[in-house]
Each structure stands twice: as C-alpha cells, then as structure tokens.
Amino acid sequence: MEILSVVIAFFNLIYVLGTFVGGVYLFILVVKALRKYIRSGNVTPETARTRKSLGEVLRKHRTDSGMTQEFVAQALGISRQAVSKWENGTSEPTTTNLIALAKLFGVAPEDLLQEVQK
C-alpha cells in the first residue's frame, strides 16, 4: 500500500509540473503572438496601394460604362455601400463579384486585375 501511494504521489507531481510547464509555454506563445500583432501595423503600404488601385480601376470602368453605383449594386444583388467601399479601397470584392463586375463592364476579369498591377 505504501509503494502504491508513493507512485500515485509521484504521478500527481509529474501531472502538476507538466500542467504548469504547459501553461507557461502557452503564455509565452500568446505574448509572442501579441507582440508580433502589435508591431505589424494595420496594412502594408503595398496592400493599401493595391486596394486603392483596384478601386480606381473599378470606378473607371463603371464611369466609362455610364453606370451608377446604384445600378451596379442592383445588377450584382448587393448594396450600393458595398460598391462604394470597393471603389474607396476599404474593402475588396469577392472573386465571384469581381467576375460579375468584369462581365457587367464587358471586360475579362484578368484585364481588371492586370490594370491593378500596372
């Protein structure tokens, strides 16, 4: 009986130490992730330029086609605010919406994206 209680106490000690070490390791990982997040900033300048450029391309094609934001929104089944956000660069259209926009403007989706890269 005495040996059994010593073995149980030993395994309890290992369990407690393992839990403590695991908790410390998890805490360190969380701190590292938070530090990386804080240092990362909002958006890289390249991403911001790309978003702005895509918005400019979309606005150019829309105005060249003589369409309003409201018309584009109704044609795609979305809100006018969504179109405005795309053109302002605060959000990006999904792939499905980008393909639908290209079709609406009478261009290939690749052409829209290639204009962004210029």
Side-chain angles (χ1 to χ4, degrees), residues 51-117:
R51 285 184 183 163
K52 185 176 179 188
S53 296
L54 179 59
E56 290 172 354
V57 169
L58 294 176
R59 180 178 286 126
K60 176 187 169 293
H61 279 282
R62 179 182 60 77
T63 56
D64 288 351
S65 301
M67 300 177 192
T68 63
Q69 289 181 346
E70 186 68 34
F71 179 82
V72 172
Q74 288 177 352
L76 295 176
I78 57 172
S79 69
R80 185 202 55 77
Q81 289 83 0
V83 176
S84 177
K85 286 181 180 180
W86 297 341
E87 291 182 0
N88 291 329
T90 55
S91 70
E92 296 177 341
T94 63
T95 305
T96 305
N97 285 334
L98 189 62
I99 292 170
L101 283 166
K103 191 174 189 180
L104 185 65
F105 298 148
V107 297
E110 301 85 37
D111 293 341
L112 287 177
L113 297 175
Q114 285 175 351
E115 288 183 47
V116 170
Q117 293 175 351

Side-chain angles (χ1 to χ4, degrees), residues 15-32:
Y15 174 76
V16 169
L17 286 175
T19 304
F20 177 74
V21 170
V24 169
Y25 181 68
L26 182 62
F27 178 76
I28 290 170
L29 289 177
V30 168
V31 169
K32 283 183 178 181

